[in-house]
Amino acid sequence: MTTGTPPPTRPRRSRARRFLPLALAAWLVLEIWLLTVVASAAGGLVVLLILVAGAVLGAVVIKSAGRRAFRNLTETLQQMPGRP
């Protein structure tokens, strides 16, 4: 028995949502390929040191950005009117 209403249609995905997983996979393959090229040219120990240095530098940058954001939040909250 039909009610005469059309079946629901699925919304179309945008191009960005369709190609984002493909772009991410291509980025990962490119990064691994570049890592192997650098490792074959410079040596495995050098690449390992570069990876560790990048992780440490990234942690320092993230930590300082977090501290700066927390400091800005604290200053903003202290300047709000109606604070006891």
Side-chain angles (χ1 to χ4, degrees):
M1 199 158 130
T2 62
T3 61
T5 59
T9 58
R10 291 178 38 196
R12 292 184 53 107
R13 285 186 168 188
S14 67
R15 283 189 181 187
R17 286 191 64 190
R18 185 180 307 151
F19 292 115
L20 185 65
L22 181 62
L24 183 62
W27 179 268
L28 291 174
V29 168
L30 178 67
E31 189 170 352
I32 292 170
W33 173 77
L34 187 60
L35 186 65
T36 59
V37 168
V38 170
S40 67
L45 183 61
V46 173
V47 171
L48 180 65
L49 291 176
I50 290 172
L51 288 174
V52 169
V56 169
L57 181 65
V60 168
V61 168
I62 289 173
K63 190 173 183 178
S64 67
R67 284 183 178 169
R68 189 177 328 117
F70 188 73
R71 186 173 51 247
N72 289 342
L73 176 65
T74 304
E75 290 173 359
T76 302
L77 289 176
Q78 288 176 351
Q79 294 173 357
M80 289 181 63
R83 188 171 176 267

